[in-house]
Amino acid sequence: MADQVLSLDSLAVHAGREDLVGLGVHAPPLDLSSTSPLPDIGLGGASYESMATGGHPVPGGGTVYARLWNPTVARFEAALARLEGTEESVAFSSGMAALTAAVLAAKTETGGRHVVAVRPLYGGSDHLLGSGLLDVEVTYCAPAGVPAALRPDTCLVVVESPGNPTLELVDIAAVVDAAAGRPVLVDNTFATPVLQNPAAHGAALVLHSATKYLGGHGDVVGGVVACDPAWAAALRRVRAVTGALLHPLGGYLLHRGLATLPLRIRAQQGSAEKLAGWLSSQPSVRRVFFPGTPEGDPTGLIGRQMRGPGAMLAIQLAGGYEQAVRVTGRVRLFTHAVSLGGVDSLIQHPAALTHRPVAPDARPDADILRLSIGLEDADDLRADLARALA
Ligand SMILES: *Cc1c(COP(=O)(O)O)cnc(C)c1O
């Protein structure tokens, strides 16, 4: 089986579990140790040195301390890397911790202090990059504005596709081309590795808020960056020094979530397609934002870059903000809540919530609601929306 090329569905179930038979167990062990016994000072010290500088544990040297390495988290990282088609991945305590580490790593790796941020981005990402906390200068731009935004000290180009909350698709290969050798980070949270592998289009760093689809059950907060070994070492160094660790229980739950990810995405996407079609015929809905419509994919990226439109959509309401208040107050099967990507459907108002920290001129309009379609029956979801929109 080692030589067999496995499909994504098989990898989702089996990746990161290669050591289990040798351990004599069937489910991945949840290792909660904060420290681990040292074989001797020399080997323990060598292992410490290796991990503190971004490497792996030294054979026979142990994992020393949980801020440096955790086997349960490492299994999730190995599995996610396989799904993204990268050699490694590095997990963090949240998506924002992952983005923080990526920016810090990009600064130390390239020596630059300038970031190009392609809008629209998740509100928290947009805010973090411009907050001054990371000591970077940021130029915000549209995808076509990347070449003009570049500077000699640009250390990172950040882009998201599909974009949050209005699902704009960005041509990743075109941004990589325009970045002219600067590393490009793609936030792949909405697409997941089931629908899109940005590394195959030249992205150096592929970021996920694992809180969303990877976990998929609304019960874990985490982040992860898939990349090559050199970037992984830089990211692990940042993580070891700053301590933004994914808890082992989070690693366990995320690894478990990956097994059903392809199945969940396909089912949720199928319902999103049905609902997008129905919503576009509703008089109280002015516009549906969904990559599965011709207007949602004007340059034909689905099929070329993405394997499907995903399960997120947004609607612009004819009745404006007042209608948004009514709809979010009336839904019963949908939960009025931020976040996305879980087995249950959520609806929220980006301008007031997820995109609140974004500068007013770049904030989504107040008549827009974002929907994350879950695993409920699509007809039940439609009936819930019909009642709420009436
Ligand atoms: C939620 C989200 C983030 C932030 O992740 P957290 O796990 O909440 O820190 C980043 N990017 C996108 C696209 C998101 O949806």
Side-chain angles (χ1 to χ4, degrees):
M1 194 176 104
D3 300 320
Q4 192 182 335
V5 178
L6 294 177
S7 72
L8 182 101
D9 291 54
S10 304
L11 284 175
V13 175
H14 287 281
R17 293 166 196 260
E18 294 79 5
D19 66 333
L20 300 190
V21 170
L23 295 172
V25 298
H26 185 61
L30 171 53
D31 185 339
L32 295 171
S33 308
S34 57
T35 190
S36 48
L38 297 162
D40 61 54
I41 294 175
L43 266 174
S47 205
Y48 181 106
E49 179 66 24
S50 171
M51 291 183 287
T53 52
H56 291 229
V58 164
T63 56
V64 183
Y65 187 57
R67 184 151 43 74
L68 303 171
W69 195 268
N70 175 271
T72 307
V73 171
R75 284 191 197 91
F76 162 65
E77 291 171 332
L80 190 273
R82 290 293 295 280
L83 297 186
E84 280 294 5
T86 59
E87 281 184 77
E88 301 207 36
S89 88
V90 184
F92 295 89
S93 50
S94 69
M96 298 317 299
L99 181 59
T100 298
V103 172
L104 296 180
K107 283 170 70 181
T108 51
E109 290 301 289
T110 68
R113 283 187 49 244
H114 175 248
V115 173
V116 174
V118 179
R119 276 179 170 156
L121 290 175
Y122 168 68
S125 307
D126 191 290
H127 175 64
L128 172 65
L129 294 171
S131 66
L133 287 169
L134 301 178
D135 190 30
V136 285
E137 283 182 61
V138 183
T139 303
Y140 295 99
C141 64
V146 171
L150 291 179
R151 299 195 331 205
D153 62 339
T154 301
C155 66
L156 192 64
V157 177
V158 178
V159 59
E160 191 173 301
S161 186
N164 190 347
T166 36
L167 293 314
E168 286 88 345
L169 301 187
V170 179
D171 188 328
I172 294 167
V175 170
V176 168
D177 217 35
R182 270 72 157 205
V184 174
L185 178 148
V186 175
D187 187 327
N188 205 30
T189 300
F190 275 32
T192 83
V194 177
L195 299 179
Q196 179 170 275
N197 296 120
H201 303 282
L205 301 156
V206 180
L207 182 140
H208 290 273
S209 168
T211 315
K212 317 293 170 52
Y213 286 104
L214 303 188
H217 293 73
D219 54 8
V220 52
V221 175
V224 63
V225 181
C227 53
D228 70 13
W231 277 107
L235 289 166
R236 276 193 298 265
R237 199 158 55 232
V238 172
R239 185 178 66 179
V241 173
T242 62
L245 304 176
L246 178 63
H247 187 273
L249 179 57
Y252 176 90
L253 289 169
L254 292 175
H255 195 186
R256 177 165 144 145
L258 291 185
T260 55
L261 182 66
L263 212 56
R264 284 187 281 114
I265 291 291
R266 280 185 216 115
Q268 292 172 224
Q269 174 175 266
S271 294
E273 283 172 326
K274 281 188 202 162
L275 289 167
W278 174 77
L279 282 164
S280 47
S281 71
Q282 295 307 296
S284 60
V285 176
R286 182 166 291 158
R287 183 169 169 197
V288 176
F289 301 90
F290 183 61
T293 63
E295 316 82 70
D297 182 22
T299 59
L301 286 170
I302 294 179
R304 187 149 56 90
Q305 174 175 295
M306 260 185 111
R307 290 180 280 273
M312 294 297 299
L313 51 93
I315 51 176
Q316 186 172 31
L317 297 167
Y321 176 74
E322 288 69 30
Q323 193 189 357
V325 172
R326 281 199 302 279
V327 169
T328 52
R330 279 186 195 161
V331 286
R332 294 289 170 265
L333 194 53
F334 278 83
T335 300
H336 178 206
V338 299
S339 198
L340 62 107
V343 293
D344 57 315
S345 297
L346 305 178
I347 188 166
Q348 68 105 15
H349 187 261
L353 279 308
T354 48
H355 291 67
R356 195 179 190 98
V358 178
D361 60 320
R363 206 178 289 155
D365 292 336
D367 54 0
I368 288 175
L369 289 174
R370 192 190 72 186
L371 288 72
S372 171
I373 306 304
L375 283 175
E376 301 92 339
D377 181 83
D379 291 337
D380 290 344
L381 291 173
R382 188 182 54 203
D384 194 40
L385 288 174
R387 188 176 44 239
L389 286 166

